[in-house]
Amino acid sequence: MENRGQEEHTLIELGDFEDRQRLINGVYLNKLSAREMESLVAISDTFLPSVEAPPDAVHGYVDKFYRTSASMAGTPHLLGGLITERLKHPKLWMIRVTLWLLSTWIGTFIICGFASMSSHFPYFQSFPQVAPHKRQDIVLSWSTSYFSLLRMLFRSLKLLTLLVFFSQEIERMVDEKNENVTWKAIGYCGPDPDFKTLNQPNKPARKTNSYGGSKYQQEQKEEDDKEDSIGPLYRGLINIKLPREVVAEALSGSGFPVSTQSRKHSPSPPIIHCDAVVVGSGSGGGVAAGVLAKAGYKVLVLEKGSYCARNNLSLLEGPTMDEMYLYGGLLATADTGVVVLAGSTVGGGSTINWSASIRTPQHVIKEWCDQHELELFGSELYKEALDGVCEKMGVHSQVYEEGLNNAVLRRGCQELGYPVTDIPRNSGPEHYCGWCCFGCKDGRKKGTAETWLVDMVNSGNGVILPGCEAKKVLHNRKKGRERDTASGVVFEFEYKGVKEVFVVESKVTIVAAGALSTPGLLKRSGLKNPNIGKNLHLHPVAMAWGYFPEQAPLSPPEWSGWEKRSYEGEIMTAMSTVVAGFEGSGYGAVIQTPALHPGMFSVVMPWISGNDMKDRMRRYYRTAHIFALARDKGSGTISSPSSISYQMDETDEENLKRGMEKLLRILAAAGAQEIGTHNCKGRRIDVKKVSSHEFERFVKEESSRGLRDLSTPVCSAHQMGSCRMGVDPKSSAVNQMGETWEVEGLYVADTSVFPTALGVNPMVTVQAIAYCTAKSVVEVLRRKKKESFAT
């Protein structure tokens, strides 16, 4: 009974699914003023107005979709909460100042010019008073304005309004039959239909014939049921948001003693003792924790994000982004030129990534060995690491069935004679799931929460503390040492609305918070190396789209793609290297496919008018996307996730332009009726109706458009290099073992240590590097243990 009670304290409280959904959807308090809200409502209804449905809208739900404006759906209120409580950006002040100015006639005239004036006295108007059709022209003019601040304003407000409407609000818009009319209108099914039954309160119990009736068998059944519904980490999760004595008891029961130091005037923070503390649980931190725990060392993992159990996944875009992505997915560079997505949950990016598991390319290994003099990448240890992490994740390249996007990419490449290969993945070949970007519903995608962290928990040597943010790495100068030695971490969390602070005292500290968060933590901890926060690479991505209308029911399909929907199927199964330059430097662009559910789809598609946007969304389910991802030579700087400075290099822009040309040709060759890019002008062409000359001119013009002037959305799902590895502290932040040059016993084990951009999906590479770093740390801990015995 004592053990069972201890387990109840140890398990993180997962809560009821419906309660969690109410919490997620009810979310942020709108603190905008009445004036600001008046302008925000007008802008939201300009982006998404109530319009007449087209003549072919024979279904009532399509008519309702067109007639529903943003304000009718409650979007401005939700958007106000995001702006005041969730959005973190150095230019946030600009949005609020603009909203206030637009509520006045003089501010509207300054920002909008003569277009805002009325032909009747008093002539000057505030933005909400301007006629809707004139507001639309004004907002559209911002997208191509000479003034970069207006282009930033357009991009920011468009992104926020459409994302909120099509992701956060979309699940609320139901008809009298409790069916989501917007989903029906755009051909979207919502959460994976195969997963819905798992969230029903009265779902059938698991068959138990194989367990028999003995006490041991019944307990085994309960354990298996927990793992099926919660996931295999449930025994290693500590709910830190409980009274201190309960947390201390749970930690102590898991082999992590907790002590306190007496103070005269204030209570001291509890001190947790362990061998190693790992900040972050993603592809870097998860691997490091697993290796160290299996070697017999006590490992404490601190994770800023929450733990999203299998049975509590919503597979809804808005709630998932809010809970499992850094800052709710609302991150962008300082000039809003690149939209940045990064995971923030137990398992990190490996929990919400797209399964691609590509080994470090040989040309990259050669560059890192030869030009950067890093012997690690040519070593047997690194080869062992690559083999080990791929085996752990069950990486394979089999394809049983492809979704629409990948089928289009493969068919187009084959028609044109472009190289196309199968992408290695860490989910089974039968894993036909387009929702992996919202977490894995059944654990078949083998991220760190299903592999390395499971090893840690099963070893009995490790626990995970979700919802804890590391604030500072502790270090001090020991007698006779030339540099400081790491001694632990200070972390904080919120308990009953109050910030609580704990201290971890450890023999080694491993920071694996990701390329966006690690530099800030190191700087807050007093490290001065000038390379920390520099050399940030983003793998910039530019996309193109093709519309594939459904084939007439009586017409025989030419290929299986006619039966598919854009959001279904494995996210990545095909890749082309036609402009990747793998045979040379590797500084080119690979062509792959994205996961775009309605919110992100609406964000990247061009906005010409509210009516046009709804037309585009209505074709969502048959609009395929492919993208070009550049191995960027250019780099940026970062001081915190909300302060990213990045300017695309001219060479990278040219590589993406070359990629864009191939994207358009691939889409056309695959059979698209219409093709286009995401440039703000919104041009498109009907491939079936134009001459070859017109087609070539369109491809040439659209692929030559600039990508650095905020006219085309550019995205990033991979960030790296901000604490790069090297052989000299003058040009790098860590050495080949991942140890910082300034502090002994402080290691970095995430994508921030990459010497350059990688050029392909980084999961396998970062896991291999973390594996090597962890092996080095094991040797350090063994040496420390021998030294302690000797004394």
Side-chain angles (χ1 to χ4, degrees):
M1 291 298 292
E2 182 178 345
N3 290 338
R4 182 169 294 277
Q6 179 179 298
E7 181 180 289
E8 288 174 355
H9 290 316
T10 304
L11 292 180
I12 189 163
E13 293 181 351
L14 299 169
D16 179 76
F17 177 78
E18 292 182 359
D19 288 342
R20 279 165 44 88
Q21 286 305 103
R22 281 194 292 271
L23 175 66
I24 293 169
N25 290 331
V27 213
Y28 303 108
L29 181 64
N30 180 6
K31 298 178 183 178
L32 294 183
S33 67
R35 278 184 173 272
E36 290 171 313
M37 278 305 299
E38 186 181 8
S39 298
L40 187 59
V41 169
I43 289 173
S44 299
D45 282 348
T46 302
F47 281 117
L48 289 169
S50 175
V51 296
E52 292 289 331
D56 63 344
V58 295
H59 298 290
Y61 55 81
V62 176
D63 181 73
K64 186 171 182 180
F65 168 64
Y66 277 89
R67 292 181 182 276
T68 300
S69 67
S71 61
M72 291 168 64
T75 298
H77 181 75
L78 236 176
L79 183 52
L82 288 176
I83 290 173
T84 53
E85 290 203 336
R86 185 61 157 156
L87 191 61
K88 307 289 183 185
H89 193 274
K91 298 289 194 308
L92 179 59
W93 62 269
M94 184 182 71
I95 293 179
R96 299 202 62 173
V97 169
T98 301
L99 291 176
W100 187 90
L101 287 172
L102 289 175
S103 71
T104 67
W105 68 264
I106 189 169
T108 300
F109 181 71
I110 292 171
I111 295 171
C112 305
F114 290 103
S116 65
M117 295 184 65
S118 169
S119 58
H120 305 289
F121 184 82
Y123 307 116
F124 294 100
Q125 307 174 97
S126 66
F127 187 80
Q129 294 172 327
V130 176
H133 70 279
K134 294 182 72 174
R135 291 204 309 252
Q136 180 172 280
D137 292 340
I138 290 169
V139 169
L140 184 60
S141 72
W142 293 347
S143 69
T144 56
S145 173
Y146 172 79
F147 300 103
S148 62
L149 286 179
L150 283 179
R151 298 199 302 274
M152 290 173 59
L153 180 69
F154 170 83
R155 173 171 287 198
S156 302
L157 292 174
K158 176 211 167 192
L159 182 153
L160 292 168
T161 302
L162 298 182
L163 183 63
V164 167
F165 182 89
F166 285 107
S167 66
Q168 293 284 56
E169 281 295 308
I170 198 168
E171 59 266 19
R172 296 182 179 186
M173 296 165 58
V174 297
D175 58 15
E176 62 279 358
K177 297 180 182 179
N178 203 36
E179 294 179 328
N180 190 300
V181 295
T182 301
W183 284 349
K184 291 177 69 175
I186 66 177
Y188 184 58
C189 70
D192 186 353
D194 294 336
F195 182 61
K196 287 181 179 178
T197 56
L198 297 179
N199 286 326
Q200 300 303 317
N202 297 317
K203 70 175 183 178
R206 175 178 172 145
K207 292 182 180 180
T208 59
N209 294 346
S210 61
Y211 289 98
S214 72
K215 182 178 179 181
Y216 170 78
Q217 290 171 325
Q218 186 62 32
E219 288 179 351
Q220 184 63 47
K221 171 191 172 300
E222 291 176 0
E223 291 287 303
D224 289 345
D225 284 345
K226 283 181 181 179
E227 182 167 329
D228 281 350
S229 61
I230 299 173
L233 296 181
Y234 73 94
R235 289 189 304 272
L237 294 161
I238 301 289
N239 186 357
I240 200 75
K241 298 179 181 182
L242 292 172
R244 286 188 174 188
E245 60 274 13
V246 176
V247 173
E249 180 184 350
L251 286 165
S252 298
S254 299
F256 295 83
V258 180
S259 63
T260 56
Q261 294 179 348
S262 59
R263 287 184 181 176
K264 292 183 179 180
H265 304 292
S266 62
S268 62
I271 302 172
I272 307 169
H273 302 269
C274 62
D275 292 318
V277 58
V278 179
V279 179
S281 61
S283 289
V287 172
V291 170
L292 291 171
K294 285 191 72 175
Y297 297 101
K298 287 294 183 179
V299 183
L300 186 76
V301 178
L302 302 176
E303 171 54 54
K304 180 180 179 181
S306 59
Y307 175 64
C308 299
R310 292 176 191 168
N311 68 340
N312 269 4
L313 293 174
S314 69
L315 300 188
L316 290 168
E317 186 175 17
T320 299
M321 291 187 70
D322 187 67
E323 190 170 17
M324 300 178 74
Y325 285 74
L326 191 61
Y327 291 140
L330 301 174
L331 274 181
T333 53
D335 66 351
T336 70
V338 183
V339 175
V340 179
L341 294 175
S344 183
T345 185
V346 172
S350 72
T351 298
I352 48 85
N353 70 10
W354 302 348
S355 299
S357 306
I358 303 172
R359 289 173 177 249
T360 315
Q362 282 302 312
H363 60 267
V364 176
I365 289 177
K366 187 176 188 305
E367 179 183 343
W368 289 357
C369 287
D370 296 347
Q371 296 183 27
H372 295 267
E373 301 179 355
L374 294 166
E375 297 175 355
L376 168 68
F377 297 100
S379 68
E380 288 300 317
L381 175 61
Y382 192 70
K383 294 176 185 176
E384 172 192 320
L386 287 173
D387 291 340
V389 300
C390 287
E391 181 181 358
K392 177 73 70 175
M393 292 189 289
V395 174
H396 71 96
S397 300
Q398 292 178 280
V399 179
Y400 287 177
E401 183 181 2
E402 287 187 306
L404 177 63
N405 295 330
N406 287 280
V408 164
L409 173 55
R410 190 179 298 275
R411 187 185 189 210
C413 287
Q414 290 171 343
E415 291 289 328
L416 295 168
Y418 295 165
V420 60
T421 57
D422 298 333
I423 295 180
R425 306 176 307 285
N426 67 338
S427 54
E430 75 292 342
H431 194 59
Y432 191 78
C433 174
W435 287 263
C436 278
C437 50
F438 304 146
C440 189
K441 62 189 179 184
D442 52 24
R444 284 189 286 176
K445 184 178 76 172
K446 298 302 181 183
T448 57
E450 301 287 344
T451 52
W452 297 96
L453 290 173
V454 176
D455 288 350
M456 181 194 76
V457 170
N458 290 343
S459 74
N461 290 322
V463 294
I464 307 164
L465 275 61
C468 299
E469 183 175 8
K471 305 303 292 186
K472 185 178 181 181
V473 175
L474 300 174
H475 50 92
N476 52 62
R477 184 69 58 90
K478 292 185 178 179
K479 188 175 181 180
R481 300 281 189 176
E482 294 182 356
R483 54 183 180 147
D484 281 9
T485 300
S487 58
V489 170
V490 176
F491 70 89
E492 71 175 23
F493 58 94
E494 189 170 307
Y495 175 57
K496 294 185 176 181
V498 177
K499 293 287 186 182
E500 292 277 353
V501 175
F502 272 51
V503 173
V504 181
E505 193 174 280
S506 62
K507 297 171 184 174
V508 295
T509 299
I510 300 175
V511 176
L516 298 180
S517 297
T518 289
L521 175 57
L522 297 184
K523 287 183 176 182
R524 290 196 303 271
S525 304
L527 275 70
K528 305 295 184 183
N529 186 296
N531 295 289
I532 296 173
K534 293 184 178 179
N535 311 301
L536 175 69
H537 299 282
L538 296 181
H539 276 180
V541 162
M543 303 187 205
W545 59 269
Y547 174 56
F548 295 78
E550 287 183 298
Q551 197 173 43
L554 298 180
S555 301
E558 297 178 18
W559 63 307
S560 60
W562 293 120
E563 304 170 357
K564 302 175 186 297
R565 299 196 168 209
S566 62
Y567 54 87
E568 296 175 335
E570 282 196 84
I571 298 169
M572 282 185 166
T573 53
M575 177 177 77
S576 177
T577 58
V578 64
V579 290
F582 278 11
E583 68 285 352
S585 68
Y587 283 97
V590 296
I591 295 176
Q592 297 177 328
T593 59
L596 291 177
H597 288 260
M600 288 305 297
F601 179 95
S602 68
V603 163
V604 296
M605 288 297 277
W607 183 91
I608 305 302
S609 68
N611 200 92
D612 178 75
M613 176 53 67
K614 291 192 175 184
D615 287 343
R616 291 175 185 266
M617 290 304 300
R618 192 178 166 203
R619 305 197 308 181
Y620 158 73
Y621 73 109
R622 290 295 301 174
T623 300
H625 271 83
I626 54 179
F627 66 74
L629 178 152
R631 184 186 181 204
D632 46 334
K633 285 187 174 180
S635 64
T637 61
I638 181 168
S639 56
S640 72
S642 60
S643 182
I644 306 169
S645 176
Y646 181 88
Q647 183 62 46
M648 191 188 302
D649 185 84
E650 288 185 17
T651 302
D652 302 328
E653 182 181 34
E654 288 303 314
N655 285 333
L656 285 178
K657 287 180 180 180
R658 290 195 302 128
M660 185 66 71
E661 184 229 339
K662 301 300 184 186
L663 299 181
L664 293 170
R665 295 187 185 280
I666 290 168
L667 290 163
Q673 177 178 303
E674 282 188 359
I675 59 173
T677 69
H678 292 158
N679 183 270
C680 64
K681 293 185 180 297
R683 290 187 62 208
R684 62 183 105 179
I685 191 170
D686 190 322
V687 180
K688 308 298 185 183
K689 295 181 179 179
V690 299
S691 66
S692 60
H693 175 72
E694 290 173 309
F695 173 77
E696 290 297 330
R697 184 174 64 185
F698 177 83
V699 170
K700 182 178 180 180
E701 290 175 353
E702 292 306 302
S703 62
S704 63
R705 296 189 183 278
L707 297 169
R708 299 189 297 162
D709 57 359
L710 305 184
S711 62
T712 302
V714 176
C715 304
S716 166
H718 308 151
Q719 303 85 38
M720 65 209 76
S722 53
C723 293
R724 69 182 178 187
M725 182 181 290
V727 295
D728 187 344
K730 294 180 180 178
S731 59
S732 61
V734 301
N735 63 24
Q736 295 191 67
M737 293 188 296
E739 189 175 34
T740 62
W741 293 109
E742 297 171 79
V743 179
E744 183 181 341
L746 173 58
Y747 298 82
V748 178
D750 56 31
T751 56
S752 66
V753 304
F754 285 17
T756 67
L758 184 67
V760 296
N761 310 68
M763 179 167 62
V764 169
T765 298
V766 67
Q767 289 201 13
I769 293 174
Y771 178 92
C772 296
T773 298
K775 288 292 187 180
S776 298
V777 173
V778 167
E779 292 304 315
V780 169
L781 288 172
R782 284 175 180 165
R783 188 175 68 247
K784 286 179 178 286
K785 190 173 183 180
K786 289 180 180 178
E787 290 174 354
S788 65
F789 283 146
T791 57

